[in-house]
Amino acid sequence: RARNVGARRARGEFLLFMDDDVRLGSEDLIERMLRTFEQDPRIGLVGVSQQVPSDASPFARRCAKELERFEAPVLERVEDSDLASHACMMMRRSVYLAVGGEHDLLPRGTDPDLRLRLREAGYRVVLAPGAWVYHPPPASWRELWRTFFRNGAGSAFVHRHFPRYCIDTAPTHSPAQTGRRSLPVRARGFLKRLARAFVPPRPVRIVALLAYGCGAMKTLLFDKQQWSLALRRGCKYALLPFGWLWVQLRKRMGRWPKGVVRILLYHRVEDIRRFPLVIPPETFRRQMEFLKANGRCIPLERVPDLLASRPGAWEGDRFVITFDDGYRDNYTQAYPVLCRLGLPATIYLVTDFIGKEAEFPWVKKLGPPTYQILTWEQVEEMAEGGITFGAHTASHPSLATLPPERQREEMDRAAEALRERLGQRPLHFSYPFGSRADFDEVAVDRVRRAGFQTATTAVAGGNPPGSNPLMLRRTAIDPSDDFFLFRCHLKGYLDLLAWKDGVLAGRARRFLRRAIGL
């Protein structure tokens, strides 16, 4: 992500990327890299050979001898190579931006991804002749283990959440050996390399591969997010019979409303598998098509009038689509689907972060930042396309923890930012975190005084006639919901999940957020 920011702000023709632990091999290194571009207009990326520093420890030299890609001979002519890396590389700025720059959501594997995209675009990836840098290998057994354990964990993370970016790299110069390979193929290749490391025995290589494998297994087997989603789905299926029975009993007793407003809560829509808050694009498209065919989707502006009507005045549930926070994939992934199907939606923005190269502090606990934040230009385009925008405060605090004046400041600052950009003050508000422990009567009163017509919570459930428009319940849709559970949500069979959003459960979650600094 930092490289992309730097490339957008740069003004020169060429971009030079270099790791902070690299030492130049010669004073004319940059000139040699620049001259390489003159030899072929198809050259898109120029890297350099890597050498072990003369003052490297005996262990580091042993690593360079037994491990791949730590040392490459200095070339006498330009050669296509898979050893060009971010350790030291140069690109034309126009080419870098044309191919989309780095994939800034990947925590690992950006080198092979960039090389592959360049080649698919018709560019060459080469090493400059007579150019090298000193890049030190691990200097101890401990550093060796930590480096390869981290690499293995990162590779497994990419496979789990970004499977189409799992790209093998060649151990030698040849780029023909690279490409996207499945996990079973990569696992077989790993086992073959491990077996070859024992004949003849090469201790450094054996330890490095074992560390890599342990790191990968740690991510694949003990990923807390994976188990959290699995546990959440299991709990929903366990609760489902009781929820269905509760709905049927209330219908028999005549206490189930003939129609409710059910507000769906989304956060992100992105091609990331099994990651918190993220709905894959195909899943989101299927859900929206189902709503279009079987539901009555209405804009949030109509909700106050519906809730003000007498009970039984209208039959059949109405559905409202909302998104919290302001992730960029709301624009790149969700917005096109909503436009194609003609579905209205509301996005609640945390205004202090919109348009900035930053990350949401309250999302850090989920792991590496796999998201970007909306820009104001994207917000304005969606507003012109019919998307409604509401305030989600300026910085996303738990309002119940703030004094009344701070609550008012958060609401007013967010509303003013939206008014300046969109030309009118927002009419809709969403309480950050949204449990009953995260907002109080003072916050509700502040919302009323600020002139908001509706305010949504994260408390599960529908909203029958007579509901308070400033304490609207929502139905959260997350990655643990398969299509069957999604349909059960729409019928109210999982409204019993509201217990987790009560005051006691909310206070427990707030205590945990404070304990980990969120």
Side-chain angles (χ1 to χ4, degrees):
R1 179 171 296 184
R3 297 187 188 105
N4 287 343
V5 174
R8 288 193 292 268
R9 296 180 180 178
R11 293 294 178 264
E13 180 182 357
F14 292 92
L15 301 173
L16 175 66
F17 299 104
M18 188 177 299
D19 287 352
D20 59 0
D21 59 347
V22 161
R23 289 157 45 190
L24 301 186
S26 62
E27 294 183 356
D28 63 345
L29 174 77
I30 296 177
E31 287 79 3
R32 288 178 179 272
M33 297 176 76
L34 287 170
R35 287 198 296 269
T36 303
F37 284 99
E38 300 173 359
Q39 300 191 26
D40 187 347
R42 295 178 300 148
I43 292 177
L45 186 153
V46 173
V48 297
S49 300
Q50 293 187 30
Q51 297 286 295
V52 178
S54 58
D55 57 351
S57 66
F59 183 83
R61 292 184 176 279
R62 187 177 179 184
C63 287
K65 182 179 179 180
E66 294 190 23
L67 300 176
E68 302 162 349
R69 305 181 65 83
F70 274 102
E71 190 172 25
V74 180
L75 305 178
E76 296 182 357
R77 57 186 176 83
V78 175
E79 288 189 18
D80 291 84
S81 176
D82 203 36
L83 294 179
S85 71
H86 288 109
C88 182
M89 73 177 199
M90 183 180 291
M91 292 183 65
R92 281 190 170 87
R93 180 173 177 269
S94 58
V95 173
Y96 183 87
L97 297 177
V99 298
E102 301 281 3
H103 190 305
D104 60 5
L105 302 185
L106 291 178
R108 175 174 165 76
T110 56
D111 280 353
D113 172 62
L114 180 60
R115 289 194 297 262
L116 190 58
R117 282 189 285 118
L118 281 167
R119 289 172 180 138
E120 290 175 346
Y123 292 102
R124 295 176 61 192
V125 177
V126 304
L127 292 185
W132 73 95
V133 294
Y134 296 115
H135 199 198
S140 65
W141 288 105
R142 181 179 181 181
E143 185 179 345
L144 174 71
W145 180 272
R146 292 178 63 181
T147 298
F148 279 85
F149 185 92
R150 183 173 60 248
N151 291 348
S155 295
F157 181 91
V158 172
H159 167 77
R160 177 174 298 284
H161 302 296
F162 304 90
R164 64 194 183 100
Y165 294 102
C166 290
I167 304 171
D168 272 350
T169 55
T172 61
H173 282 286
S174 174
Q177 301 180 40
T178 65
R180 296 183 174 93
R181 294 180 173 88
S182 65
L183 180 62
V185 173
R186 290 168 62 88
R188 286 197 298 270
F190 171 81
L191 293 175
K192 289 179 181 178
R193 291 195 299 272
L194 182 60
R196 287 196 295 266
F198 283 92
V199 184
R202 287 171 285 178
V204 169
R205 185 170 178 80
I206 292 172
V207 170
L209 289 172
L210 288 176
Y212 187 95
C214 288
M217 293 300 292
K218 178 256 184 184
T219 297
L220 293 174
L221 298 180
F222 302 104
D223 181 358
K224 63 179 181 180
Q225 302 299 350
Q226 171 194 359
W227 291 109
S228 174
L229 291 177
L231 178 62
R232 190 175 301 176
R233 176 175 293 184
C235 289
K236 289 178 180 179
Y237 271 103
L239 189 64
L240 191 56
F242 301 98
W244 177 86
L245 183 61
W246 175 250
V247 171
Q248 301 308 314
L249 287 175
R250 296 198 67 188
K251 285 183 177 180
R252 290 285 183 90
M253 298 170 63
R255 295 184 178 180
W256 188 257
K258 294 182 179 180
V260 301
V261 175
R262 189 166 296 278
I263 304 175
L264 304 184
L265 165 59
Y266 290 92
H267 284 86
R268 301 189 53 201
V269 180
E270 186 56 273
D271 189 16
I272 306 176
R273 299 192 310 176
R274 294 173 288 187
F275 200 75
L277 305 181
V278 183
I279 304 296
E282 282 302 307
T283 301
F284 179 76
R285 178 190 57 78
R286 187 182 181 191
Q287 292 174 356
M288 295 301 102
E289 289 176 346
F290 181 83
L291 286 177
K292 178 70 174 180
N294 301 279
R296 300 179 183 178
C297 290
I298 62 172
L300 192 57
E301 290 79 3
R302 289 186 53 193
V303 171
D305 291 339
L306 286 174
L307 299 184
S309 59
R310 60 178 177 80
W314 44 277
E315 296 185 3
D317 294 347
R318 270 62 169 175
F319 299 98
V320 178
I321 303 166
T322 66
F323 296 83
D324 276 7
D325 299 340
Y327 299 92
R328 192 170 299 181
D329 49 59
N330 295 173
Y331 170 79
T332 59
Q333 300 285 0
Y335 179 55
V337 175
L338 296 171
C339 286
R340 180 173 60 84
L341 297 175
L343 296 175
T346 297
I347 301 177
Y348 297 104
L349 300 180
V350 185
T351 54
D352 280 359
F353 293 87
I354 302 302
K356 295 183 179 179
E357 297 285 351
E359 58 181 293
F360 294 132
W362 59 95
V363 187
K364 285 185 177 180
K365 61 182 179 180
L366 302 181
T370 58
Y371 61 89
Q372 295 173 315
I373 300 172
L374 282 168
T375 66
W376 282 113
E377 291 73 21
Q378 292 165 341
V379 170
E380 292 166 359
E381 180 181 338
M382 286 191 286
E384 292 177 359
I387 300 297
T388 301
F389 286 91
H392 200 30
T393 70
S395 63
H396 204 277
S398 174
L399 292 176
T401 65
L402 302 180
E405 286 306 309
R406 278 290 313 281
Q407 293 184 13
R408 181 181 63 81
E409 178 192 350
E410 284 283 340
M411 297 175 193
D412 289 347
R413 201 161 83 236
E416 183 61 21
L418 285 165
R419 187 195 65 77
E420 288 181 2
R421 286 289 183 167
L422 303 181
Q424 60 181 7
R425 190 176 176 88
L427 301 177
H428 311 289
F429 182 81
S430 176
Y431 300 101
F433 302 109
S435 78
R436 282 298 288 117
D438 290 303
F439 67 95
D440 50 21
E441 293 302 324
V442 175
V444 176
D445 183 61
R446 287 292 177 184
V447 168
R448 182 182 296 106
R449 293 186 183 185
F452 293 106
Q453 293 183 0
T454 70
T456 54
T457 71
V459 180
N463 302 279
S467 298
N468 186 347
L470 300 183
M471 295 178 62
L472 296 174
R473 295 182 173 222
R474 286 194 288 179
T475 299
I477 308 298
D478 64 39
S480 67
D481 296 314
D482 55 27
F483 193 66
F484 176 73
L485 287 177
F486 172 75
R487 296 176 64 179
C488 291
H489 274 302
L490 301 185
K491 294 180 179 295
Y493 296 158
L494 291 170
D495 285 356
L496 291 180
L497 288 170
W499 67 268
K500 70 178 179 59
D501 303 311
V503 175
L504 292 179
R507 285 177 178 173
R509 285 200 303 274
R510 194 169 68 201
F511 173 79
L512 291 176
R513 288 200 300 266
R514 285 178 176 175
I516 61 178
L518 294 178

